[in-house]
Amino acid sequence: MEKAFDRVRHCAILKSLSDLDVSIYIIKLIQSYLSQRFQYVEIKGCKSNVFKSTSGVPQGSNLGPLLFLLAINGIIRNIKNAKALLLADDFKCFLQIDSIFDCEILQNDFCDVANWCDVNSFKLNVGKCACMSFTLNNNPITYNYTLNHEPLQRVTEHKDLGLIFDTTLSFTGHILSKVESAHKIAGFIVRSTSKLSVEVSFHLFDSLVLPILEYGSIIWSPQYDVWVAVIEGVQRRFLKCMYYRTFGIYPQRGCDNGFLLETFNRLSLNKRRIKIFLCTLFKLLKNEVDCPELLEQLPFAINRMNSRNSNIFYLAYPRTNLYKNSPIYKLCYYFNFYASDIDIDSTSLNRFKKIILNKLKSNVR
């Protein structure tokens, strides 16, 4: 959306409240809150005439984002065939394409979205919109989609919420981009903390570098050892510098990475990602993460009494790498291996983290 928070109409917000059967007194309160707001523009000391604001939500206020969401959520109801995801003014519409007929169905939904935006005075920024096909087929079905009679650009990579998606969901571009950024920041930390303690350097590394390498890792966690090694190289290089600062010599060329990790009592980045998987699923099972769509996809196992199998989840044998490396499979697989003997109901998150950390360090179940 273009200037979405400024263009939302007050009547659209009030209509959304009415559709939700909100009390008439609340609606009148919101109407009073939005009405009689006056603004002016000031440039280099020159002020424009005062004018009444007839659209937009008060930005910087507590109610502003909520009121905008009430108005924009109506766009979902216009999608008849495809599925949609909406976050603030960022909208994604998707459908499984098996024929040209499916492409036409998706195009019709695009037209309905554009019509809804016209009716509700939202302006689409078509230049920032794109279409993308996720497929392993070498000759996928393509279609020239349009939005507001303007062609949508077709891309092979797209950045969404900090993750770089590609057509095969290999996340190669995302990994390379994040590793490059992490190397730069880690190098800056090494150069700028040469006169400070090693502990300070590690604190900065944990605060500035690790978030880059771990954000969204449940989605893009690498499936090939080559990418695991590339990511691990960021911490390995940093540990070598810390080793020199601590002992006055660089470690032997080609030394085992486990030696460096043990010297500084660190987990490998791969094991840190496993810990993220486990903690995420733990919070999902404990209802600390509200996501029923994800919870209903978990294949819970129902074991017989006195059964030797204590796994919490049932996992079929992975016949394809795509299934084996899917987030759901990895979540359940790691939890079966590391946490099947933990009583989830009586264990806090902090206690769970300590147990998992000890298991990851000792490499035992």
Side-chain angles (χ1 to χ4, degrees), residues 11-208:
C11 59
I13 297 173
L14 300 177
K15 183 178 183 304
S16 298
L17 290 170
S18 178
D19 293 340
L20 294 172
D21 293 330
V22 175
S23 167
I24 185 63
Y25 300 105
I26 298 295
I27 295 177
K28 288 184 176 180
L29 177 64
I30 298 299
Q31 183 179 15
S32 174
Y33 175 72
L34 293 173
S35 61
Q36 300 299 317
R37 288 185 171 273
F38 295 91
Q39 299 176 340
Y40 66 89
V41 178
E42 181 177 354
I43 300 177
K44 295 183 178 181
C46 299
K47 297 181 180 179
S48 69
N49 295 328
V50 177
F51 59 93
K52 183 189 296 186
S53 174
T54 57
S55 65
V57 294
Q59 298 188 36
S61 63
N62 291 330
L63 283 178
L66 176 61
L67 296 177
F68 172 79
L69 292 178
L70 288 172
I72 199 68
N73 279 348
I75 195 173
I76 298 292
R77 292 191 289 269
N78 281 271
I79 307 298
K80 299 182 179 65
N81 302 290
K83 297 181 180 180
L85 295 173
L86 183 63
L87 178 66
D89 62 338
D90 189 9
F91 178 75
K92 288 174 282 291
C93 187
F94 57 97
L95 182 69
Q96 180 174 329
I97 302 297
D98 296 317
S99 65
I100 292 295
F101 178 70
D102 294 328
C103 297
E104 294 172 350
I105 290 176
L106 186 57
Q107 177 60 61
N108 290 335
D109 284 336
F110 288 164
C111 294
D112 292 338
V113 169
N115 292 335
W116 183 90
C117 291
D118 289 337
V119 170
N120 291 275
S121 300
F122 284 107
K123 187 176 180 181
L124 288 167
N125 192 341
V126 182
K128 291 186 177 180
C129 299
C131 64
M132 188 173 180
S133 297
F134 297 97
T135 178
L136 296 177
N137 194 335
N138 293 328
N139 297 306
I141 299 172
T142 57
Y143 188 87
N144 296 323
Y145 296 103
T146 61
L147 191 62
N148 269 348
H149 307 292
E150 296 184 38
L152 282 174
Q153 60 173 328
R154 181 172 289 275
V155 297
T156 57
E157 279 192 350
H158 185 70
K159 188 173 184 179
D160 183 41
L161 300 179
L163 300 182
I164 301 175
F165 292 82
D166 55 61
T167 56
T168 61
L169 294 179
S170 66
F171 295 100
T172 301
H174 176 82
I175 293 174
L176 291 175
S177 173
K178 297 306 175 183
V179 166
E180 181 181 2
S181 299
H183 270 304
K184 290 180 179 179
I185 297 179
F188 174 77
I189 293 174
V190 171
R191 294 190 302 271
S192 59
T193 61
S194 58
K195 297 182 180 180
L196 301 178
S197 66
V198 172
E199 289 75 14
V200 172
S201 298
F202 274 116
H203 280 306
L204 290 173
F205 183 85
D206 293 343
S207 301
L208 302 178

Side-chain angles (χ1 to χ4, degrees), residues 339-364:
S340 59
D341 59 340
I342 300 176
D343 187 355
I344 300 175
D345 293 329
S346 60
T347 305
S348 66
L349 179 58
N350 289 333
R351 175 62 180 164
F352 180 80
K353 288 181 178 180
K354 291 179 180 178
I355 296 174
I356 294 302
L357 183 62
N358 291 331
K359 289 188 175 185
L360 290 171
K361 286 183 176 180
S362 59
N363 287 316
V364 297

Side-chain angles (χ1 to χ4, degrees), residues 187-252:
F188 174 77
I189 293 174
V190 171
R191 294 190 302 271
S192 59
T193 61
S194 58
K195 297 182 180 180
L196 301 178
S197 66
V198 172
E199 289 75 14
V200 172
S201 298
F202 274 116
H203 280 306
L204 290 173
F205 183 85
D206 293 343
S207 301
L208 302 178
V209 179
L210 291 184
I212 296 176
L213 297 174
E214 295 178 350
Y215 170 74
S217 59
I218 290 179
I219 304 299
W220 60 263
S221 183
Q223 56 181 303
Y224 299 116
D225 290 341
V226 60
W227 296 120
V228 173
V230 167
I231 299 171
E232 202 67 45
V234 178
Q235 180 169 251
R236 177 180 172 84
R237 185 177 179 181
F238 181 79
L239 292 179
K240 284 184 175 182
C241 295
M242 295 301 103
Y243 190 94
Y244 174 79
R245 190 176 297 177
T246 303
F247 301 104
I249 58 171
Y250 276 104
Q252 186 178 0

